[in-house]
Amino acid sequence: MRETASLTIRVDRDLLRALKVRAVMNDRSSNGELTAILREVLKTEKAPEPRLGNRSDASQQ
């Protein structure tokens, strides 16, 4: 199993409702649907990774 991390976001109610509907249509949880959406978008975009420098919210690798 992959190592995971938590992320808290705020979205408006209509967007959350649409995510839940899409998740049900794809037989996924809301989290699974959001993960699939993000993977698809990030897979198709070829933008260079930003240089995060010393930002406190930057992931440490």
Short mmCIF file of all heavy atoms in Angstrom, two decimals:
data_model
loop_
_atom_site.label_atom_id
_atom_site.label_comp_id
_atom_site.label_asym_id
_atom_site.label_seq_id
_atom_site.Cartn_x
_atom_site.Cartn_y
_atom_site.Cartn_z
N MET A 1 0.84 -1.18 0.00
CA MET A 1 0.00 0.00 0.00
C MET A 1 0.89 1.24 0.00
O MET A 1 1.90 1.29 0.67
CB MET A 1 -0.90 -0.02 1.23
CG MET A 1 -1.92 1.06 1.25
SD MET A 1 -3.08 0.76 2.61
CE MET A 1 -4.17 2.10 2.37
N ARG A 2 0.46 2.26 -0.75
CA ARG A 2 1.23 3.50 -0.83
C ARG A 2 1.16 4.27 0.47
O ARG A 2 0.15 4.25 1.18
CB ARG A 2 0.69 4.40 -1.93
CG ARG A 2 0.93 3.89 -3.29
CD ARG A 2 0.41 4.89 -4.29
NE ARG A 2 0.67 4.40 -5.62
CZ ARG A 2 0.88 5.18 -6.65
NH1 ARG A 2 0.82 6.48 -6.51
NH2 ARG A 2 1.11 4.67 -7.82
N GLU A 3 2.23 4.99 0.75
CA GLU A 3 2.24 5.89 1.89
C GLU A 3 1.36 7.09 1.53
O GLU A 3 1.43 7.60 0.43
CB GLU A 3 3.65 6.35 2.18
CG GLU A 3 3.75 7.21 3.42
CD GLU A 3 5.18 7.60 3.73
OE1 GLU A 3 6.11 6.87 3.34
OE2 GLU A 3 5.35 8.65 4.36
N THR A 4 0.51 7.50 2.45
CA THR A 4 -0.38 8.62 2.18
C THR A 4 -0.15 9.74 3.19
O THR A 4 0.46 9.55 4.23
CB THR A 4 -1.86 8.20 2.25
OG1 THR A 4 -2.15 7.73 3.56
CG2 THR A 4 -2.17 7.11 1.24
N ALA A 5 -0.66 10.90 2.84
CA ALA A 5 -0.62 12.06 3.72
C ALA A 5 -2.00 12.70 3.70
O ALA A 5 -2.79 12.47 2.78
CB ALA A 5 0.43 13.07 3.23
N SER A 6 -2.29 13.49 4.69
CA SER A 6 -3.59 14.15 4.78
C SER A 6 -3.51 15.57 4.26
O SER A 6 -2.48 16.24 4.37
CB SER A 6 -4.06 14.19 6.24
OG SER A 6 -4.30 12.90 6.71
N LEU A 7 -4.61 16.02 3.68
CA LEU A 7 -4.73 17.38 3.17
C LEU A 7 -6.13 17.87 3.49
O LEU A 7 -7.11 17.19 3.17
CB LEU A 7 -4.51 17.39 1.66
CG LEU A 7 -4.78 18.69 0.92
CD1 LEU A 7 -3.75 19.76 1.34
CD2 LEU A 7 -4.73 18.47 -0.57
N THR A 8 -6.23 19.00 4.11
CA THR A 8 -7.53 19.59 4.41
C THR A 8 -7.76 20.76 3.46
O THR A 8 -6.90 21.63 3.33
CB THR A 8 -7.59 20.10 5.86
OG1 THR A 8 -7.32 19.00 6.74
CG2 THR A 8 -8.93 20.69 6.17
N ILE A 9 -8.90 20.75 2.75
CA ILE A 9 -9.22 21.84 1.85
C ILE A 9 -10.64 22.32 2.14
O ILE A 9 -11.46 21.60 2.70
CB ILE A 9 -9.09 21.43 0.36
CG1 ILE A 9 -10.07 20.29 0.03
CG2 ILE A 9 -7.68 21.03 0.02
CD1 ILE A 9 -10.17 20.00 -1.45
N ARG A 10 -10.90 23.54 1.74
CA ARG A 10 -12.24 24.10 1.85
C ARG A 10 -12.80 24.28 0.45
O ARG A 10 -12.15 24.87 -0.41
CB ARG A 10 -12.20 25.44 2.57
CG ARG A 10 -11.90 25.33 4.03
CD ARG A 10 -11.86 26.74 4.64
NE ARG A 10 -11.73 26.73 6.08
CZ ARG A 10 -10.62 26.48 6.75
NH1 ARG A 10 -9.51 26.18 6.11
NH2 ARG A 10 -10.59 26.51 8.06
N VAL A 11 -13.99 23.74 0.21
CA VAL A 11 -14.66 23.91 -1.08
C VAL A 11 -16.11 24.30 -0.81
O VAL A 11 -16.66 23.99 0.25
CB VAL A 11 -14.60 22.63 -1.94
CG1 VAL A 11 -13.18 22.28 -2.31
CG2 VAL A 11 -15.26 21.46 -1.24
N ASP A 12 -16.72 24.96 -1.79
CA ASP A 12 -18.12 25.33 -1.58
C ASP A 12 -19.00 24.08 -1.65
O ASP A 12 -18.61 23.05 -2.19
CB ASP A 12 -18.57 26.43 -2.54
CG ASP A 12 -18.58 25.99 -4.00
OD1 ASP A 12 -19.18 24.96 -4.32
OD2 ASP A 12 -17.99 26.72 -4.80
N ARG A 13 -20.18 24.19 -1.10
CA ARG A 13 -21.07 23.03 -0.99
C ARG A 13 -21.45 22.44 -2.34
O ARG A 13 -21.55 21.21 -2.48
CB ARG A 13 -22.33 23.41 -0.22
CG ARG A 13 -22.06 23.69 1.24
CD ARG A 13 -23.35 24.10 1.95
NE ARG A 13 -23.07 24.67 3.25
CZ ARG A 13 -22.97 23.98 4.37
NH1 ARG A 13 -23.10 22.68 4.34
NH2 ARG A 13 -22.72 24.59 5.51
N ASP A 14 -21.65 23.29 -3.34
CA ASP A 14 -22.02 22.78 -4.66
C ASP A 14 -20.90 21.95 -5.28
O ASP A 14 -21.16 20.92 -5.90
CB ASP A 14 -22.38 23.93 -5.60
CG ASP A 14 -23.69 24.61 -5.21
OD1 ASP A 14 -24.52 23.98 -4.52
OD2 ASP A 14 -23.88 25.78 -5.59
N LEU A 15 -19.67 22.38 -5.10
CA LEU A 15 -18.54 21.63 -5.62
C LEU A 15 -18.41 20.28 -4.90
O LEU A 15 -18.18 19.25 -5.54
CB LEU A 15 -17.25 22.44 -5.46
CG LEU A 15 -15.97 21.82 -6.02
CD1 LEU A 15 -16.10 21.53 -7.50
CD2 LEU A 15 -14.80 22.75 -5.76
N LEU A 16 -18.58 20.27 -3.60
CA LEU A 16 -18.52 19.02 -2.85
C LEU A 16 -19.64 18.07 -3.27
O LEU A 16 -19.42 16.87 -3.44
CB LEU A 16 -18.58 19.30 -1.34
CG LEU A 16 -18.50 18.07 -0.44
CD1 LEU A 16 -17.22 17.28 -0.69
CD2 LEU A 16 -18.61 18.49 1.02
N ARG A 17 -20.83 18.61 -3.47
CA ARG A 17 -21.95 17.79 -3.91
C ARG A 17 -21.64 17.17 -5.28
O ARG A 17 -21.88 15.97 -5.49
CB ARG A 17 -23.22 18.64 -3.98
CG ARG A 17 -24.48 17.84 -4.24
CD ARG A 17 -25.74 18.69 -4.21
NE ARG A 17 -25.87 19.38 -2.94
CZ ARG A 17 -25.83 20.72 -2.79
NH1 ARG A 17 -25.67 21.50 -3.84
NH2 ARG A 17 -25.97 21.28 -1.61
N ALA A 18 -21.10 17.96 -6.19
CA ALA A 18 -20.75 17.45 -7.52
C ALA A 18 -19.68 16.36 -7.43
O ALA A 18 -19.74 15.36 -8.15
CB ALA A 18 -20.28 18.59 -8.41
N LEU A 19 -18.71 16.55 -6.54
CA LEU A 19 -17.67 15.53 -6.35
C LEU A 19 -18.28 14.24 -5.85
O LEU A 19 -17.94 13.15 -6.33
CB LEU A 19 -16.61 16.04 -5.36
CG LEU A 19 -15.51 15.04 -5.02
CD1 LEU A 19 -14.64 14.75 -6.24
CD2 LEU A 19 -14.66 15.56 -3.87
N LYS A 20 -19.19 14.33 -4.89
CA LYS A 20 -19.83 13.13 -4.34
C LYS A 20 -20.67 12.41 -5.39
O LYS A 20 -20.66 11.17 -5.46
CB LYS A 20 -20.68 13.50 -3.12
CG LYS A 20 -19.84 13.87 -1.93
CD LYS A 20 -20.71 14.22 -0.73
CE LYS A 20 -19.84 14.54 0.49
NZ LYS A 20 -20.64 14.78 1.69
N VAL A 21 -21.38 13.17 -6.22
CA VAL A 21 -22.17 12.55 -7.30
C VAL A 21 -21.25 11.84 -8.28
O VAL A 21 -21.49 10.69 -8.66
CB VAL A 21 -23.03 13.62 -8.02
CG1 VAL A 21 -23.62 13.07 -9.31
CG2 VAL A 21 -24.12 14.14 -7.09
N ARG A 22 -20.18 12.50 -8.68
CA ARG A 22 -19.22 11.89 -9.61
C ARG A 22 -18.59 10.64 -9.00
O ARG A 22 -18.39 9.63 -9.68
CB ARG A 22 -18.15 12.92 -9.97
CG ARG A 22 -17.16 12.42 -10.97
CD ARG A 22 -16.24 13.54 -11.39
NE ARG A 22 -15.08 12.98 -12.06
CZ ARG A 22 -14.36 13.60 -12.95
NH1 ARG A 22 -14.66 14.84 -13.29
NH2 ARG A 22 -13.32 13.03 -13.50
N ALA A 23 -18.30 10.69 -7.70
CA ALA A 23 -17.71 9.53 -7.02
C ALA A 23 -18.66 8.34 -7.06
O ALA A 23 -18.24 7.21 -7.36
CB ALA A 23 -17.37 9.90 -5.57
N VAL A 24 -19.93 8.56 -6.79
CA VAL A 24 -20.92 7.48 -6.85
C VAL A 24 -21.02 6.92 -8.26
O VAL A 24 -21.06 5.69 -8.45
CB VAL A 24 -22.30 7.98 -6.36
CG1 VAL A 24 -23.39 6.98 -6.67
CG2 VAL A 24 -22.26 8.28 -4.86
N MET A 25 -21.01 7.79 -9.25
CA MET A 25 -21.09 7.34 -10.64
C MET A 25 -19.89 6.49 -11.04
O MET A 25 -20.00 5.61 -11.91
CB MET A 25 -21.19 8.55 -11.57
CG MET A 25 -22.51 9.28 -11.45
SD MET A 25 -22.59 10.86 -12.32
CE MET A 25 -21.91 10.48 -13.90
N ASN A 26 -18.76 6.71 -10.40
CA ASN A 26 -17.54 5.95 -10.71
C ASN A 26 -17.23 4.89 -9.67
O ASN A 26 -16.13 4.32 -9.67
CB ASN A 26 -16.35 6.92 -10.86
CG ASN A 26 -16.46 7.74 -12.12
OD1 ASN A 26 -16.75 7.22 -13.19
ND2 ASN A 26 -16.27 9.05 -12.00
N ASP A 27 -18.18 4.63 -8.77
CA ASP A 27 -18.04 3.61 -7.74
C ASP A 27 -16.77 3.82 -6.90
O ASP A 27 -15.98 2.91 -6.69
CB ASP A 27 -18.04 2.20 -8.36
CG ASP A 27 -18.28 1.12 -7.32
OD1 ASP A 27 -18.96 1.39 -6.31
OD2 ASP A 27 -17.78 -0.01 -7.51
N ARG A 28 -16.59 5.08 -6.46
CA ARG A 28 -15.44 5.44 -5.62
C ARG A 28 -15.93 6.25 -4.43
O ARG A 28 -17.03 6.81 -4.45
CB ARG A 28 -14.46 6.33 -6.39
CG ARG A 28 -13.79 5.71 -7.57
CD ARG A 28 -12.82 6.71 -8.18
NE ARG A 28 -12.08 6.15 -9.27
CZ ARG A 28 -11.99 6.69 -10.47
NH1 ARG A 28 -12.59 7.83 -10.74
NH2 ARG A 28 -11.29 6.12 -11.42
N SER A 29 -15.06 6.36 -3.45
CA SER A 29 -15.29 7.31 -2.36
C SER A 29 -15.00 8.70 -2.88
O SER A 29 -14.39 8.88 -3.95
CB SER A 29 -14.36 7.00 -1.18
OG SER A 29 -13.01 7.24 -1.56
N SER A 30 -15.41 9.72 -2.15
CA SER A 30 -15.09 11.09 -2.53
C SER A 30 -13.58 11.28 -2.59
O SER A 30 -13.05 11.93 -3.50
CB SER A 30 -15.70 12.09 -1.55
OG SER A 30 -17.10 12.02 -1.61
N ASN A 31 -12.88 10.73 -1.62
CA ASN A 31 -11.42 10.82 -1.60
C ASN A 31 -10.82 10.12 -2.82
O ASN A 31 -9.91 10.65 -3.47
CB ASN A 31 -10.87 10.21 -0.31
CG ASN A 31 -9.38 10.38 -0.21
OD1 ASN A 31 -8.90 11.46 0.12
ND2 ASN A 31 -8.63 9.31 -0.48
N GLY A 32 -11.32 8.94 -3.13
CA GLY A 32 -10.83 8.22 -4.30
C GLY A 32 -11.09 8.96 -5.59
O GLY A 32 -10.25 8.97 -6.51
N GLU A 33 -12.24 9.60 -5.68
CA GLU A 33 -12.57 10.37 -6.89
C GLU A 33 -11.67 11.59 -7.02
O GLU A 33 -11.14 11.87 -8.10
CB GLU A 33 -14.04 10.81 -6.86
CG GLU A 33 -14.50 11.45 -8.13
CD GLU A 33 -14.49 10.52 -9.33
OE1 GLU A 33 -14.58 9.29 -9.17
OE2 GLU A 33 -14.40 11.04 -10.46
N LEU A 34 -11.46 12.30 -5.94
CA LEU A 34 -10.59 13.46 -5.98
C LEU A 34 -9.16 13.06 -6.33
O LEU A 34 -8.50 13.72 -7.14
CB LEU A 34 -10.62 14.20 -4.64
CG LEU A 34 -9.83 15.51 -4.58
CD1 LEU A 34 -10.27 16.47 -5.67
CD2 LEU A 34 -9.99 16.15 -3.21
N THR A 35 -8.70 11.96 -5.78
CA THR A 35 -7.36 11.47 -6.10
C THR A 35 -7.26 11.13 -7.59
O THR A 35 -6.28 11.49 -8.25
CB THR A 35 -7.02 10.23 -5.25
OG1 THR A 35 -7.03 10.61 -3.87
CG2 THR A 35 -5.66 9.65 -5.60
N ALA A 36 -8.28 10.48 -8.15
CA ALA A 36 -8.28 10.13 -9.57
C ALA A 36 -8.27 11.38 -10.44
O ALA A 36 -7.55 11.45 -11.44
CB ALA A 36 -9.49 9.26 -9.90
N ILE A 37 -9.05 12.39 -10.06
CA ILE A 37 -9.09 13.65 -10.81
C ILE A 37 -7.71 14.31 -10.79
O ILE A 37 -7.20 14.74 -11.83
CB ILE A 37 -10.16 14.58 -10.23
CG1 ILE A 37 -11.56 14.03 -10.50
CG2 ILE A 37 -10.01 16.00 -10.82
CD1 ILE A 37 -12.66 14.72 -9.70
N LEU A 38 -7.12 14.41 -9.62
CA LEU A 38 -5.81 15.04 -9.50
C LEU A 38 -4.75 14.29 -10.29
O LEU A 38 -3.92 14.90 -10.97
CB LEU A 38 -5.40 15.16 -8.03
CG LEU A 38 -6.18 16.18 -7.21
CD1 LEU A 38 -5.83 16.05 -5.73
CD2 LEU A 38 -5.90 17.59 -7.71
N ARG A 39 -4.75 12.97 -10.21
CA ARG A 39 -3.78 12.18 -10.96
C ARG A 39 -3.92 12.42 -12.46
O ARG A 39 -2.92 12.56 -13.18
CB ARG A 39 -3.94 10.69 -10.67
CG ARG A 39 -3.30 10.27 -9.39
CD ARG A 39 -3.13 8.77 -9.32
NE ARG A 39 -2.44 8.45 -8.07
CZ ARG A 39 -2.90 7.62 -7.16
NH1 ARG A 39 -4.04 6.99 -7.34
NH2 ARG A 39 -2.22 7.41 -6.05
N GLU A 40 -5.14 12.44 -12.95
CA GLU A 40 -5.37 12.64 -14.37
C GLU A 40 -4.90 14.02 -14.81
O GLU A 40 -4.21 14.16 -15.83
CB GLU A 40 -6.85 12.45 -14.72
CG GLU A 40 -7.14 12.51 -16.19
CD GLU A 40 -6.46 11.42 -17.00
OE1 GLU A 40 -6.20 10.33 -16.46
OE2 GLU A 40 -6.16 11.67 -18.19
N VAL A 41 -5.23 15.04 -14.06
CA VAL A 41 -4.83 16.41 -14.41
C VAL A 41 -3.31 16.54 -14.36
O VAL A 41 -2.69 17.08 -15.28
CB VAL A 41 -5.49 17.44 -13.48
CG1 VAL A 41 -4.86 18.81 -13.64
CG2 VAL A 41 -6.98 17.50 -13.74
N LEU A 42 -2.70 16.03 -13.31
CA LEU A 42 -1.25 16.17 -13.17
C LEU A 42 -0.49 15.32 -14.18
O LEU A 42 0.62 15.67 -14.56
CB LEU A 42 -0.83 15.83 -11.74
CG LEU A 42 -1.37 16.80 -10.67
CD1 LEU A 42 -1.04 16.30 -9.28
CD2 LEU A 42 -0.83 18.20 -10.89
N LYS A 43 -1.09 14.23 -14.62
CA LYS A 43 -0.45 13.38 -15.63
C LYS A 43 -0.43 14.08 -16.99
O LYS A 43 0.53 13.95 -17.74
CB LYS A 43 -1.22 12.06 -15.74
CG LYS A 43 -0.69 11.10 -16.78
CD LYS A 43 -1.40 9.76 -16.75
CE LYS A 43 -2.84 9.91 -17.14
NZ LYS A 43 -3.55 8.62 -17.29
N THR A 44 -1.46 14.84 -17.30
CA THR A 44 -1.56 15.47 -18.61
C THR A 44 -0.86 16.81 -18.68
O THR A 44 -0.51 17.26 -19.76
CB THR A 44 -3.03 15.65 -19.02
OG1 THR A 44 -3.71 16.45 -18.05
CG2 THR A 44 -3.72 14.30 -19.14
N GLU A 45 -0.65 17.47 -17.55
CA GLU A 45 0.05 18.74 -17.55
C GLU A 45 1.55 18.51 -17.52
O GLU A 45 2.03 17.70 -16.75
CB GLU A 45 -0.37 19.60 -16.36
CG GLU A 45 -1.77 20.14 -16.49
CD GLU A 45 -2.10 21.13 -15.40
OE1 GLU A 45 -1.26 21.39 -14.52
OE2 GLU A 45 -3.22 21.64 -15.42
N LYS A 46 2.27 19.25 -18.31
CA LYS A 46 3.72 19.08 -18.40
C LYS A 46 4.47 20.29 -17.86
O LYS A 46 5.59 20.56 -18.26
CB LYS A 46 4.13 18.82 -19.85
CG LYS A 46 3.50 17.58 -20.43
CD LYS A 46 3.95 16.33 -19.70
CE LYS A 46 3.32 15.10 -20.32
NZ LYS A 46 3.52 13.91 -19.55
N ALA A 47 3.85 21.05 -16.98
CA ALA A 47 4.50 22.24 -16.43
C ALA A 47 5.67 21.82 -15.54
O ALA A 47 5.61 20.81 -14.86
CB ALA A 47 3.50 23.06 -15.62
N PRO A 48 6.75 22.59 -15.54
CA PRO A 48 7.88 22.27 -14.66
C PRO A 48 7.48 22.43 -13.20
O PRO A 48 6.59 23.23 -12.88
CB PRO A 48 8.94 23.30 -15.05
CG PRO A 48 8.18 24.41 -15.68
CD PRO A 48 6.96 23.81 -16.31
N GLU A 49 8.12 21.66 -12.34
CA GLU A 49 7.83 21.77 -10.91
C GLU A 49 8.30 23.12 -10.40
O GLU A 49 9.41 23.56 -10.73
CB GLU A 49 8.54 20.65 -10.14
CG GLU A 49 7.93 19.29 -10.40
CD GLU A 49 8.50 18.24 -9.46
OE1 GLU A 49 8.89 18.59 -8.34
OE2 GLU A 49 8.54 17.08 -9.87
N PRO A 50 7.48 23.78 -9.60
CA PRO A 50 7.90 25.08 -9.05
C PRO A 50 8.99 24.90 -8.02
O PRO A 50 9.07 23.87 -7.36
CB PRO A 50 6.62 25.62 -8.41
CG PRO A 50 5.81 24.41 -8.10
CD PRO A 50 6.16 23.40 -9.17
N ARG A 51 9.81 25.90 -7.89
CA ARG A 51 10.84 25.89 -6.85
C ARG A 51 10.22 26.46 -5.59
O ARG A 51 9.89 27.64 -5.54
CB ARG A 51 12.03 26.72 -7.30
CG ARG A 51 12.70 26.14 -8.53
CD ARG A 51 13.87 27.01 -8.95
NE ARG A 51 14.38 26.56 -10.23
CZ ARG A 51 15.52 25.89 -10.35
NH1 ARG A 51 16.26 25.62 -9.31
NH2 ARG A 51 15.91 25.50 -11.54
N LEU A 52 10.05 25.61 -4.59
CA LEU A 52 9.35 26.02 -3.38
C LEU A 52 10.27 26.66 -2.36
O LEU A 52 9.81 27.30 -1.42
CB LEU A 52 8.63 24.82 -2.76
CG LEU A 52 7.55 24.20 -3.66
CD1 LEU A 52 6.99 22.95 -3.00
CD2 LEU A 52 6.45 25.18 -3.97
N GLY A 53 11.55 26.47 -2.52
CA GLY A 53 12.51 27.11 -1.61
C GLY A 53 12.26 26.77 -0.16
O GLY A 53 12.06 25.63 0.19
N ASN A 54 12.26 27.77 0.68
CA ASN A 54 12.12 27.58 2.12
C ASN A 54 10.70 27.80 2.63
O ASN A 54 10.51 28.08 3.81
CB ASN A 54 13.07 28.50 2.86
CG ASN A 54 14.52 28.10 2.63
OD1 ASN A 54 14.80 26.92 2.48
ND2 ASN A 54 15.41 29.08 2.59
N ARG A 55 9.71 27.69 1.78
CA ARG A 55 8.33 27.87 2.23
C ARG A 55 7.99 26.85 3.29
O ARG A 55 8.34 25.68 3.19
CB ARG A 55 7.36 27.73 1.06
CG ARG A 55 7.44 28.88 0.10
CD ARG A 55 6.47 28.75 -1.03
NE ARG A 55 5.15 28.38 -0.54
CZ ARG A 55 4.14 28.09 -1.32
NH1 ARG A 55 4.29 28.12 -2.62
NH2 ARG A 55 2.96 27.75 -0.83
N SER A 56 7.27 27.26 4.29
CA SER A 56 6.96 26.39 5.42
C SER A 56 6.00 25.25 5.02
O SER A 56 5.97 24.22 5.67
CB SER A 56 6.35 27.18 6.57
OG SER A 56 5.13 27.79 6.16
N ASP A 57 5.24 25.41 3.93
CA ASP A 57 4.30 24.36 3.52
C ASP A 57 4.87 23.44 2.45
O ASP A 57 4.20 22.56 1.97
CB ASP A 57 2.99 24.97 3.04
CG ASP A 57 3.14 25.85 1.82
OD1 ASP A 57 4.27 26.28 1.54
OD2 ASP A 57 2.13 26.13 1.18
N ALA A 58 6.12 23.62 2.10
CA ALA A 58 6.75 22.78 1.08
C ALA A 58 7.06 21.41 1.65
O ALA A 58 7.47 21.27 2.80
CB ALA A 58 8.04 23.44 0.58
N SER A 59 6.85 20.39 0.84
CA SER A 59 7.13 19.01 1.29
C SER A 59 8.63 18.82 1.42
O SER A 59 9.41 19.31 0.61
CB SER A 59 6.59 18.01 0.27
OG SER A 59 5.19 18.10 0.23
N GLN A 60 9.03 18.09 2.42
CA GLN A 60 10.43 17.77 2.63
C GLN A 60 10.69 16.40 2.02
O GLN A 60 9.99 15.45 2.32
CB GLN A 60 10.77 17.74 4.13
CG GLN A 60 10.51 19.06 4.82
CD GLN A 60 11.39 20.18 4.28
OE1 GLN A 60 12.56 19.96 4.02
NE2 GLN A 60 10.84 21.35 4.11
N GLN A 61 11.65 16.29 1.15
CA GLN A 61 11.96 14.99 0.54
C GLN A 61 13.37 14.61 0.86
O GLN A 61 14.22 15.33 1.12
CB GLN A 61 11.78 15.05 -0.96
CG GLN A 61 10.32 15.18 -1.31
CD GLN A 61 10.13 15.08 -2.82
OE1 GLN A 61 11.03 15.31 -3.61
NE2 GLN A 61 8.92 14.74 -3.20
#
